[in-house]
């Protein structure tokens, strides 16, 4: 698979079903309803990005501006199809989101990651490194207090500042 042939663009409602399929095929990700992905691809299109190769959806990042802190882009899920991994696609998608500057430049990116998700920590550490920014890690959703022991704890990764 050639990274040069990947098209990155804002998602549209018609992509929602295929995004849902991509996510359902990635065991590390919590599954979503198709309806949730339809909303991400329509209401949150400006802060989400889709990657396709010859019309096939191979990557997706859902995100939104935090309602009470709109300088922060919250990254909800990052998904790259198995066959498209390891060639910088997730990093490229994050860069595209940062470059959009709509409605205003992003000062920080936040996301949550489980302790054992090495690929995800590597992805966001690389983002911080490339931007000469800092990654601060803290517990946000606890296995016991928030997930009733049904899900591993989620750690907040806050990265920034990104300079305009
Ligand atoms: C995490 C994920 C999105 C990375 O996608 P990708 O396109 O392969 O990532 P990139 O090629 O842009 O790599 C970014 C960095 O992560 C590192 N990395 C990628 N996969 C890795 C893995 N399995 N283990 C350790 N490091 C990994 C790369 O080496 C690179 O770091 P470097 O530049 O310091 O070497 C992809 O593996 C995935 O979809 N995983 C399942 C879903 C998931 O866990 N999503 C994140 C939580 S929401």
């Amino acid at each position: 698979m050639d990274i040069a042939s990947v098209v990155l663009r804002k998602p549209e409602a018609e992509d929602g079903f295929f995004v849902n399929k991509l996510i359902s095929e990635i065991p590390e990700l919590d599954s979503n309803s198709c309806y949730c992905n339809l909303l991400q691809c329509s209401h949150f299109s400006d802060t989400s990005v889709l990657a396709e190769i010859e019309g096939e959806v191979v990557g997706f990042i859902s995100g939104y501006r935090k309602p009470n802190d709109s300088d922060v882009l919250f990254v909800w899920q990052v998904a790259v199809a198995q066959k498209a991994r390891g060639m910088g696609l997730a990093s490229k998608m994050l860069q595209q989101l940062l470059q959009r500057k709509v409605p205003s430049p992003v000062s920080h990116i936040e996301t949550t990651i489980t302790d054992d998700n090495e690929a995800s920590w590597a992805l966001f550490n690389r983002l911080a490194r490339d931007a000469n920014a800092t990654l601060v890690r803290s517990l946000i959703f606890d296995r016991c207090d928030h997930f009733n022991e049904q899900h591993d704890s989620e750690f907040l990764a806050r990265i920034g500042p990104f300079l305009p």
Side-chain angles (χ1 to χ4, degrees):
M1 188 156 283
D2 181 9
I3 187 86
S5 60
V6 176
V7 175
L8 299 186
R9 62 173 173 82
K10 291 184 188 181
E12 298 171 359
E14 287 69 22
D15 299 309
F17 177 85
F18 300 98
V19 166
N20 188 257
K21 184 167 176 296
L22 171 74
I23 289 169
S24 69
E25 288 166 356
I26 299 179
E28 293 93 334
L29 294 179
D30 291 343
S31 54
N32 308 133
S33 66
C34 190
Y35 188 76
C36 167
N37 294 123
L38 285 168
L39 290 182
Q40 289 172 342
C41 288
S42 46
H43 294 183
F44 298 102
S45 178
D46 282 347
T47 48
S48 300
V49 58
L50 180 138
E52 62 185 356
I53 296 180
E54 293 170 3
E56 183 188 353
V57 177
V58 294
F60 184 68
I61 296 181
S62 47
Y64 58 84
R65 295 293 186 117
K66 279 176 79 176
N68 296 329
D69 191 357
S70 64
D71 288 344
V72 175
L73 173 69
F74 186 82
V75 171
W76 182 342
Q77 280 182 322
V78 184
V80 173
Q82 190 73 50
K83 63 183 174 187
R85 289 187 192 166
M87 54 183 196
L89 183 53
S91 301
K92 258 182 171 288
M93 291 194 291
L94 285 173
Q95 289 301 336
Q96 159 139 152
L97 286 178
L98 278 171
Q99 281 161 14
R100 282 197 198 148
K101 301 185 174 150
V102 176
S104 56
V106 167
S107 77
H108 287 77
I109 283 185
E110 293 184 6
T111 195
T112 77
I113 311 174
T114 53
D115 192 43
D116 62 352
N117 194 335
E118 283 180 29
S120 195
W121 285 110
L123 171 66
F124 286 96
N125 274 315
R126 174 178 167 173
L127 177 71
R129 198 174 67 230
D130 286 354
N132 211 14
T134 309
L135 185 155
V136 178
R137 171 183 161 142
S138 58
L139 179 64
I140 179 169
F141 299 129
D142 179 66
R143 179 180 180 84
C144 191
D145 294 345
H146 300 101
F147 289 117
N148 198 25
E149 312 258 359
Q150 308 291 309
H151 187 293
D152 288 341
S153 294
E154 292 275 348
F155 291 85
L156 177 71
R158 179 175 162 87
I159 301 136
F162 295 99
L163 303 173

